[in-house]
């Protein structure tokens, strides 16, 4: 890591009496990470993998992304946790702002586990989703996919659960970094922000 720029910036801010809300850079995974783990790229509802080169280009369920996010957060906390300019930490930036739900195979697997924990049995899931009406009764967890683009609107109960799951995945991403910061800098406040959409 090359911290020369950050070191100088924090020194200047401190000298000027400015306190810092230091953000983690996890909203914009670097090119090398995407090159090493292309599976972190998000997939749209249409099955299109989104490319690199913009913020938020990651799948919130990706273990490779979460591991890298925790690692850089740890490095920053170790280096700047006791810096006199540090007022608080800012985790990520605008969770889910540009890429909401991810429909990739990693998300599909995580969704199935989430559904098993939520419903316990396929019978309970089929009942909650009203799958008899939709002609989609499930007999195996492996048959369940995210509500990707289909010839007509997909089951609204499935869509709602997928949005709940997605929300919890972003919360898990936040907590992934929060836990690191609390372990290293337990007295420094932590915040984040969201981007509201209509």
């Amino acid at each position: 890591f090359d911290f020369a720029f950050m070191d100088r910036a924090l020194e200047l801010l401190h000298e000027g009496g400015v306190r810092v809300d230091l953000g983690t850079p996890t909203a914009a995974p670097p090119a090398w990470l995407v090159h090493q783990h292309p599976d972190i790229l998000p997939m749209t509802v249409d099955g299109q993998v989104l490319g690199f080169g913009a913020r938020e280009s990651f799948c919130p369920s990706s273990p490779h992304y979460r591991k890298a996010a925790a690692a850089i957060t740890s490095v920053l906390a170790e280096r700047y946790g006791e810096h006199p300019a540090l007022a608080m930490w800012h985790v990520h930036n605008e969770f889910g702002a540009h890429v909401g739900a991810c429909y990739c195979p990693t998300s599909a697997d995580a969704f199935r586990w989430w559904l098993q924990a939520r419903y316990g049995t396929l019978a309970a899931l089929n009942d909650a989703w009203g799958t008899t009406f939709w002609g989609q009764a499930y007999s195996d967890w492996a048959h369940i996919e995210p509500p990707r683009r289909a010839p007509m609107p997909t089951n609204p109960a499935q869509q709602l659960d997928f949005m709940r799951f997605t929300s919890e995945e972003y919360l898990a991403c936040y907590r992934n970094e929060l836990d690191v910061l609390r372990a290293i800098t337990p007295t420094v406040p932590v915040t984040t922000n969201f981007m509201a959409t209509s």
Side-chain angles (χ1 to χ4, degrees):
F1 299 103
D2 180 359
F3 288 110
F5 174 81
M6 289 281 293
D7 290 349
R8 184 66 180 135
L10 264 67
E11 287 167 18
L12 288 171
L13 290 165
H14 178 60
E15 289 170 10
V18 177
R19 308 267 337 262
V20 176
D21 179 6
L22 187 57
T24 62
T26 54
W32 65 263
L33 180 62
V34 174
H35 181 75
Q36 285 183 7
H37 303 287
D39 58 309
I40 74 166
L41 291 172
M43 180 181 284
T44 68
V45 69
D46 295 307
Q48 177 68 45
V49 176
L50 298 177
F52 172 78
R55 290 171 59 253
E56 305 291 334
S57 57
F58 68 93
C59 164
S61 299
S62 169
H64 294 125
Y65 168 78
R66 289 192 194 177
K67 181 179 179 183
I72 189 61
T73 299
S74 177
V75 169
L76 288 174
E78 292 288 352
R79 185 166 189 94
Y80 299 114
E82 294 184 16
H83 196 288
L86 181 67
M88 66 189 313
W89 294 107
H90 182 98
V91 170
H92 197 80
N93 187 48
E94 300 173 351
F95 277 109
H98 305 290
V99 177
C102 177
Y103 297 80
C104 74
T106 301
S107 291
D109 287 341
F111 183 46
R112 290 182 200 104
W113 284 108
W114 185 88
L115 290 170
Q116 288 179 53
R118 181 174 176 85
Y119 292 106
T121 67
L122 283 167
L125 177 136
N126 283 320
D127 184 55
W129 284 8
T131 57
T132 301
F133 175 79
W134 285 90
Q136 62 172 187
Y138 293 102
S139 58
D140 191 314
W141 293 104
H143 298 166
I144 301 171
E145 294 289 336
R148 295 187 183 103
R149 183 83 61 213
M152 59 179 296
T154 55
N155 186 324
Q158 180 183 12
Q159 291 181 52
L160 177 60
D161 266 350
F162 194 69
M163 290 301 105
R164 289 172 173 148
F165 155 76
T166 297
S167 179
E168 289 189 20
E169 291 296 271
Y170 278 114
L171 180 57
C173 286
Y174 171 74
R175 288 182 173 149
N176 179 51
E177 294 182 53
L178 175 68
D179 291 346
V180 170
L181 294 171
R182 290 270 164 84
I184 298 170
T185 58
T187 61
V188 179
V190 181
T191 190
T192 191
N193 67 326
F194 300 94
M195 183 66 109
T197 57
S198 55

